[in-house]
Amino acid sequence: MSGQNIRVSASDGGEFGAYVALPESGSAPGPAPGIVLLHEIFGVTPWITDTADLFAAQGYCVAAPEMFWRLEPSFVADFRDPAQREKGFQYRGLIDHDKAVDDIAAVIARLKAMPECNGKIGVTGFCTGGTLTYLAAARLDIDAAVAYYGTQIHEFLDEGQKITCPTILHAGTSDEHVPLELLKQIEAALAGNGNITIHEYDSGHAFAHTERADHYSAEASEQAHRRTFALFNGLRKG
């Protein structure tokens, strides 16, 4: 499966890129749910486009936008390069979360305008993208959200009670960026919202990243993806 790169107009001017992957023609009856897939600190890497393709193969219209475009258009980093990895961490600290959520809204509007999309929208993301997924669930009118090991969710816990759509947070119990003690604080703060389900995995950070042999956990990744697809499959209904 191969996708295409499109341009999306930002609400405050300018435009940014997004990789779009659609289900194979005839693979699903009628239009499919739209999924916004948000990248890690490394940008829209080949792994992100491969993951978008993976989701599209499950029968979703997927858009993976570049979220650091205001800092560096078309930024892509190699996680194996310390200097590039450090720049990714730097951008994670510099990103304007308010404008980033506005950009996600622009991508959602673009997805909804596609004839292949049924108008239902889910948002998912990894690492920094997981944090942005959580904020999208709190601030935007979406139908479902799944955050994989969001690294800054603890900075926005007061927004958790705004989440009204079904939301899953996938978290590793050995995540060096979100220590177990901090994860427990997140769980306690969000416990009162029945729309949010937190799943713990015996793994570290980036456990779904198939290219990172020192982080990837096939068992955790496959289980998390099953739960993700089970939630998003509910968006196929009218």
Side-chain angles (χ1 to χ4, degrees), residues 30 71-72 124 160 223:
L71 301 167
E72 182 180 335
T124 190
Q223 187 175 26

Side-chain angles (χ1 to χ4, degrees), residues 77-93:
D78 186 336
F79 66 85
R80 292 160 292 202
D81 185 310
Q84 293 185 35
R85 186 168 63 246
E86 182 56 36
K87 182 179 277 192
F89 279 114
Q90 177 186 358
Y91 287 169
R92 183 187 73 175

